[in-house]
Amino acid sequence: MPPYQPSSDWQFDVPTSGSKHLPPAARSFESLAHQGYSFEAAIADLIDNSVDAGARNIVVSFLRDTGERGGRDRLVGLLVIDDGQGMDEAGLDTAMTVGGREGYAENALGHFGAGLKAASLSHADALTVISRTKKSPSAGRRWLTARAQADFTCDIVDSRYCQDLVDRYDGIIGWHGTIVRWDQVRAFETITDGQTDRYLNDAIERLETHLGLHLHRFLARDGFHIDIVVEDIHTREELDHRGVEPIDPFGYRVPGRAGYPRTYLAPVEGVGDVPLVAHIWPPKSPLVAYRGIGPLAERQGFYIYRNDRLVQAGGWNDTRSPEGHLALARIAVDLPPGPNDVFSLTVKKDGVQVTPAFARGLEKATDPATGHSFAEYVREAEATYREAAKRRTEVKRAAVIPPGKGIDPKLKRTLRDELPQLEGDDPITFAWARLDVPPGVNSADLLFTIDHKERTVVLNKDYRHAFNGGRRGGSNDAPVLKSLLYLMLNEIFQKERVWANQTDKIALWNSVLVTAVRAELARTEA
């Protein structure tokens, strides 16, 4: 470049006089840990890596010390375990290097090479990754935030411990897989005494919803599973176990307007024709996929997918403002597989930035079969909402206390779809145990008791085998019994205390149900 000559004219190119290498300072780790990841988005980013590794079974495990061996009840860490192809020593070094991945397969969910580190260190001060492949033994690496910020030092995990941890979860990992371990999780350390159950229920509910929504296309496939468990670190007992169910943001039964969904083609400069699959939800839908994934104003608009992973759940990308009468409008957009200059994914995979070329393409988007324009779709979505608002035929169901632990996830989802939930209320949980009854009362005459204060239905353990067909019962077993009791007892749990007439109802239900159980057992044993 010729030497700079001062001039009053505008310099269209910034003049330079050489260059120098400026490697990142270790403090850049501090900025990595402050990316603003929500807890759910951070876990989803880890699961993206599992999917890229070909995992079919993924478990998110909250590690709990119940305090029964001394100390207090607390959460001590979190694991994400998968049965993917795993990594050898070199692969681990690459995975733990900031920006270490130089390239991704075209269909990969990973993108920037920072997700594992940024997502984890946003919530934990210690990140450990342990992995094995079919051809290499278990190996591990650990980042401690304090050391990483000082000099980028990454620890090599003792190989014997790596094998021990892999063996602990051999029911998932088998011949290959990976364990991501979080220690010193900042949110866990702020839980006050007596609040662990409430924190777990809220955190798992949010995580279930986030994973069910953003990975719904994967969860709908045969053989792909994500489970969330709470594990007692001493006994290894599963204190809670929930399978994540897909939440399809287009999963209505009947469309809100005839003729939909429609596919429009938007001619986007630099990309080509981008398909827009436009849906109109049925008005006043109670489904979780409509009402249970966030404020309706935020959930209208574009649902953008990258390699089948939802990376934006609603929003108009500045092409228009959200409006109440467009609450029924949702459009599925699959990003082009190759790199382009129009769509840019955010680092946290929680949104997509677009250039004006996309807005210009929307203005010209039409249904090639009919010539129907995208602008007409927007008007029809608005009209559907307004027409429904004029009708007063909606049947309102009474709100209920939400279902909690002990209820099968599929059943829980249906209950939430069908019944409005009392927000902020502690859920109704179910547990099998030996009944604690007053003197003179025969526990064999009771199928259940209730702990009104703790909102728990305690089921008589002696009758558990009657509902499991000879199989070993799990935490979410006996769904028919539990759903009936949930519906019957909800109103009682909503009262401040149990009145005499309600006590009589509980006694009546116990009498009838115990007789029914005994009759069923007699038929089975005959």
Side-chain angles (χ1 to χ4, degrees):
M1 177 176 287
Y4 171 61
Q5 299 296 326
S7 170
S8 60
D9 295 334
W10 174 255
Q11 299 292 314
F12 285 92
D13 190 19
V14 175
T16 60
S17 57
S19 62
K20 66 187 304 184
H21 179 60
L22 297 174
R27 279 197 64 199
S28 64
F29 238 85
E30 187 175 348
S31 64
L32 192 71
H34 292 84
Q35 294 290 319
Y37 274 89
S38 69
F39 179 79
E40 307 85 63
I43 299 297
D45 219 327
L46 303 186
I47 291 176
D48 287 345
N49 294 331
S50 299
V51 173
D52 284 346
R56 305 293 291 171
N57 297 285
I58 302 163
V59 175
V60 180
S61 181
F62 291 81
L63 304 175
R64 184 172 184 174
D65 182 348
T66 61
E68 293 184 5
R69 299 193 182 183
R72 65 183 182 87
D73 183 11
R74 62 196 179 103
L75 296 177
V76 300
L78 179 141
L79 305 177
V80 176
I81 311 155
D82 71 54
D83 62 355
Q85 64 190 13
M87 293 173 281
D88 57 15
E89 299 259 5
L92 279 166
D93 287 341
T94 300
M96 295 293 268
T97 301
V98 178
R101 291 284 293 272
E102 295 182 359
Y104 286 90
E106 191 173 85
N107 64 345
L109 303 186
H111 194 57
F112 295 104
L116 169 65
K117 286 74 67 177
S120 299
L121 298 175
S122 290
H123 293 274
D125 286 329
L127 162 66
T128 304
V129 180
I130 292 171
S131 194
R132 67 172 291 179
T133 71
K134 280 187 175 181
K135 297 181 179 180
S136 64
S138 303
R141 300 289 184 269
R142 181 184 69 168
W143 277 117
L144 294 177
T145 302
R147 294 187 65 190
Q149 290 175 354
D151 57 8
F152 273 112
T153 298
C154 182
D155 296 322
I156 300 171
V157 182
D158 186 285
S159 59
R160 292 168 298 178
Y161 172 75
C162 294
Q163 188 58 50
D164 285 346
L165 192 62
V166 166
D167 288 344
R168 181 181 176 105
Y169 297 102
D170 61 357
I172 304 166
I173 290 179
W175 290 103
H176 47 78
T178 298
I179 301 171
V180 177
R181 171 175 169 168
W182 287 3
D183 291 293
Q184 302 170 47
V185 181
R186 291 184 282 278
F188 294 176
E189 294 176 357
T190 64
I191 301 171
T192 55
D193 288 344
Q195 293 298 305
T196 304
D197 277 327
R198 184 160 195 163
Y199 173 86
L200 276 171
N201 189 69
D202 291 344
I204 293 174
E205 293 283 353
R206 293 195 306 271
L207 185 58
E208 273 187 291
T209 299
H210 187 91
L211 297 178
L213 176 63
H214 288 81
L215 294 166
H216 73 90
R217 289 185 177 177
F218 293 92
L219 289 163
R221 298 173 184 172
D222 289 337
F224 182 86
H225 307 282
I226 300 175
D227 292 277
I228 303 172
V229 304
V230 180
E231 175 187 348
D232 185 316
I233 58 167
H234 297 299
T235 66
R236 299 181 61 181
E237 178 188 359
E238 287 187 355
L239 306 175
D240 195 5
H241 188 145
R242 311 188 197 184
V244 178
E245 294 294 319
I247 302 177
D248 184 353
F250 305 99
Y252 47 77
R253 300 182 182 100
V254 178
R257 197 175 190 92
Y260 286 93
R262 290 177 183 267
T263 299
Y264 301 87
L265 294 182
V268 178
E269 184 180 354
V271 176
D273 287 340
V274 175
L276 312 171
V277 184
H279 298 251
I280 297 178
W281 262 84
K284 304 175 183 177
S285 173
L287 298 181
V288 166
Y290 179 65
R291 293 189 180 275
I293 59 175
L296 293 180
E298 296 176 9
R299 294 308 187 211
Q300 61 183 256
F302 297 112
Y303 284 69
I304 303 179
Y305 296 82
R306 177 177 173 271
N307 296 330
D308 280 341
R309 203 270 204 196
L310 184 62
V311 294
Q312 178 176 306
W316 293 102
N317 298 83
D318 295 325
T319 60
R320 64 174 55 250
S321 298
E323 303 172 43
H325 48 263
L326 286 177
L328 307 178
R330 292 183 180 180
I331 307 100
V333 182
D334 282 270
L335 293 180
N340 62 82
D341 296 325
V342 176
F343 302 98
S344 301
L345 181 65
T346 63
V347 174
K348 295 181 292 182
K349 302 176 192 168
D350 61 354
V352 174
Q353 297 171 337
V354 300
T355 66
F358 180 63
R360 293 194 294 269
L362 281 183
E363 293 175 352
K364 301 175 183 176
T366 57
D367 178 346
T370 64
H372 196 268
S373 71
F374 186 78
E376 290 176 277
Y377 156 70
V378 173
R379 289 194 293 271
E380 290 184 358
E382 178 181 350
T384 305
Y385 181 89
R386 292 188 185 279
E387 290 163 6
K390 296 176 183 178
R391 298 194 293 267
R392 299 182 179 273
T393 57
E394 182 181 16
V395 176
K396 290 190 176 181
R397 292 173 174 169
V400 296
I401 297 171
K405 289 193 298 183
I407 296 183
D408 185 273
K410 292 186 179 70
L411 173 58
K412 194 181 297 185
R413 188 75 63 202
T414 298
L415 290 168
R416 290 177 185 154
D417 281 348
E418 297 293 345
L419 296 167
Q421 309 287 298
L422 290 169
E423 298 296 335
D425 277 37
D426 288 338
I428 296 173
T429 62
F430 287 81
W432 293 95
R434 300 210 178 273
L435 300 187
D436 183 13
V437 296
V441 176
N442 186 356
S443 64
D445 293 333
L446 299 174
L447 180 59
F448 70 94
T449 60
I450 69 170
D451 185 329
H452 191 268
K453 182 180 178 181
E454 297 297 328
R455 285 197 175 157
T456 300
V457 180
V458 183
L459 301 167
N460 192 336
K461 190 175 182 179
D462 293 337
Y463 290 124
R464 190 172 192 174
H465 64 289
F467 299 93
N468 289 313
R471 300 184 300 274
R472 183 176 178 273
S475 60
N476 298 323
D477 61 1
V480 173
L481 172 65
K482 290 175 180 176
S483 62
L484 289 172
L485 290 176
Y486 172 81
L487 295 171
M488 292 159 61
L489 295 168
N490 209 289
E491 184 178 354
I492 292 176
F493 278 114
Q494 291 184 45
K495 305 293 184 183
E496 290 187 7
R497 54 172 291 189
V498 181
W499 298 96
N501 64 328
Q502 294 161 342
T503 302
D504 183 65
K505 279 186 178 179
I506 293 172
L508 168 64
W509 295 335
N510 262 303
S511 175
V512 173
L513 290 172
V514 166
T515 302
V517 170
R518 288 171 176 168
E520 183 65 30
L521 289 174
R523 291 165 63 90
T524 303
E525 294 166 1

